[in-house]
Every structure is written in structure tokens, then in C-alpha cells.
Amino acid sequence: MTTHTANDTLRLRRLGWAGVEVRLGDTRVLIDPLENVEPLEPVLGKPKRPLPPVEASAGTHTLITHLHPDHYDRELITRLAAYGTVGCHAPLAPALAEDGVEATPQELGRPRRIGPLTVTPVASLDWRGTDSDQVAWVVEGAGARIIHCGDTMWHGNWWQIARDHGPFDVAFLPVNGVIAKFEGYEVDVPVTLTPEQAVEAAAALGATAACAIHYELFDNPPTYVEQPAIAERFARAAAKRGLTAHLSGDGETVPLTTGPRQEAGVAETTA
């Protein structure tokens, strides 16, 4: 049984790469957790540091933004699925089933209860187009609301997301602005948000704070090339916009300061 008291607060922690942990009471939601990097090395190169292990325990649920192997760690997700639900955008459920993962599918904008938390997939944009479905996840509880944006590039849905689901206390945004040249995708256009674009996305979303994810772990020229001076540029852009910038390291807590907020009504299943 999930326990949750009125005095509980939402707790946030950045995991490795794009991974984020959200806790409320006994309920724990992991978004895009990653442990196994060896399959990534032929394209992304060797990681600059080892990733912290991801604990699997009762009350742990998982959300997947998309199926690129740096966001969908099949081995890890299979292990975590024994402890709680695995949430995905509905079109991804068949592929997960083929991998032996029984996922809980959700349509865009459709909320679901996981204990005291509410999770909702919203629009995102992948650089590979329609052959690579991707979503962002809105997670809310205890009067706080965050959004995890996967490894999106710039798109025009920020304002609609803000109108439908915002404002946000923290927006977790990719910042490495990577130039990728593989699999027939070879253009000099960043395929994830640059540091400055990430801050502008946070501003459009109505976020109070922006936390940088998806950076300074892989850099493998000429196939996968990150932006230079990411942390400095992100902090500078956030200061210019009047936003709080979080550059939390692997496994570090992400501060959350929020006042009371009324949670949206939910008409979905309870985990």
C-alpha cells in the first residue's frame, strides 16, 4: 500500500544522463533511467564517467519518453518492471511488449494516477521525425509540478503545454545541442536543445527553474558532437531570463521551492 501524508513534499533527484527521480511518500517515479551504456559506445563513444547504479525497490514506477537506447535501457526497465508500472506513449506499447515489457499506455494529454502522483504525456519533437515517437512527461503531486522533456529539439508546442498543464516548478531539459551524423541523418543542425534554447523553452513553459540534463557524458566526433561551454552558457542564459538554473550532478538532489498548488482533476487508473 502506498503511504502519503499531507506534510509530504515532492523530492527530485537527477540521475545519470537524462534520468530523473521523483518521490512523494513511498511512491517513486523514474523517468528515462540509464545504467547500461556499453550498447551506446559505437555511436556515442565511451562515457566520460561511470553512471551511478539505479536502485530497484518496491513502489518504483518508470516512465519512458522514447525508445532511443540512451533513454530506454531495456535491461534496466525489465528489472524495474517487477516493482511497478512502466508508462509510455500508447504507440510505443507494442514495441515494449516485443521486449517482454508490459507497459501502461497513455494517450497525449491523458493523466494517470500513480499513488499520490499524477503523470501525463505531452507533445515533444524528435529529430528523426515520425519514425521515432517521443513525448515529454508532466508529473505533479503535493502542490508541485515538473516536466521532463526527454531529448527534444525546439518545437512550437511549449505554449500549448503551458496553457494546458503549466506553470511548472522545474523543467528538466536537454542542453547538449548535439550535432549527430549517423544513420543517414547528417546536417549541421542541433538535434537536441542548445543551452540557450533550453532556457527559452523553460520560459515559454512558465517554469520557475530549469534543470539541465542530457549533457557532458558523451562526445564522439565526428558522429556525435556536443556544444561547447554548456554549463556556463546555460547559467548565463537563465540569469538573463530571470530563471533559476540547476546544474545538478549525477545522483544529486534538485531543489524544489513551491507554494500550494491545486492539482488537476484526473480520470485515469490508480497504480
Side-chain angles (χ1 to χ4, degrees):
M1 174 183 291
T2 298
T3 59
H4 164 59
T5 71
N7 294 324
D8 283 336
T9 58
L10 203 70
R11 289 170 289 166
L12 305 172
R13 190 164 66 98
R14 186 182 169 218
L15 306 177
W17 192 229
V20 170
E21 176 188 85
V22 183
R23 282 184 181 264
L24 183 56
D26 297 353
T27 301
R28 177 180 182 235
V29 169
L30 305 181
I31 309 174
D32 287 358
L34 177 66
E35 265 187 355
N36 305 299
V37 297
E38 187 174 345
L40 305 172
E41 291 182 10
V43 173
L44 305 188
K46 284 189 172 293
K48 298 179 181 179
R49 59 186 179 276
L51 290 178
V54 177
E55 174 193 359
S57 58
T60 297
H61 304 263
T62 311
L63 301 175
I64 300 168
T65 61
H66 63 301
L67 297 184
H68 290 178
D70 59 326
H71 294 258
Y72 167 50
D73 183 337
R74 176 181 174 181
E75 180 180 325
L76 175 60
I77 296 301
T78 301
R79 177 158 53 91
L80 292 170
Y83 295 88
T85 61
V86 176
C88 71
H89 189 209
L92 300 182
L96 289 168
E98 290 180 7
D99 285 346
V101 177
E102 183 180 348
T104 302
Q106 289 175 247
E107 299 292 344
L108 287 180
R110 188 74 172 170
R112 174 170 65 102
R113 284 281 191 185
I114 302 178
L117 295 172
T118 302
V119 301
T120 308
V122 296
S124 187
L125 183 65
D126 189 82
W127 58 278
R128 289 169 52 159
T130 56
D131 72 333
S132 185
D133 184 87
Q134 182 170 173
V135 296
W137 285 98
V138 174
V139 183
E140 56 188 307
R145 186 178 300 122
I146 68 101
I147 185 169
H148 182 293
C149 294
D151 70 352
T152 189
M153 62 193 306
W154 182 265
H155 58 77
N157 293 302
W158 309 115
W159 293 270
Q160 189 64 52
I161 293 170
R163 286 191 290 268
D164 291 345
H165 304 281
F168 298 96
D169 299 292
V170 182
F172 291 89
L173 296 147
V175 296
N176 67 341
V178 68
I179 301 293
K181 295 187 177 182
F182 51 86
E183 297 181 15
Y185 300 88
E186 298 192 9
V187 293
D188 288 324
V189 176
V191 300
T192 57
L193 297 174
T194 66
E196 294 80 10
Q197 287 175 334
V199 168
E200 291 304 305
L205 288 165
T208 301
C211 182
I213 61 172
H214 199 272
Y215 73 108
E216 292 185 352
L217 182 64
F218 302 104
D219 195 38
N220 188 32
T223 58
Y224 192 89
V225 184
E226 284 201 331
Q227 298 277 313
I230 289 172
E232 295 85 349
R233 289 165 54 188
F234 181 72
R236 185 166 58 246
K240 184 177 179 181
R241 265 292 189 176
L243 299 178
T244 299
H246 296 309
L247 289 156
S248 304
D250 297 345
E252 290 185 355
T253 297
V254 178
L256 176 66
T257 303
T258 183
R261 188 197 306 282
Q262 184 171 351
E263 296 186 39
V266 177
E268 273 288 325
T269 59
T270 301

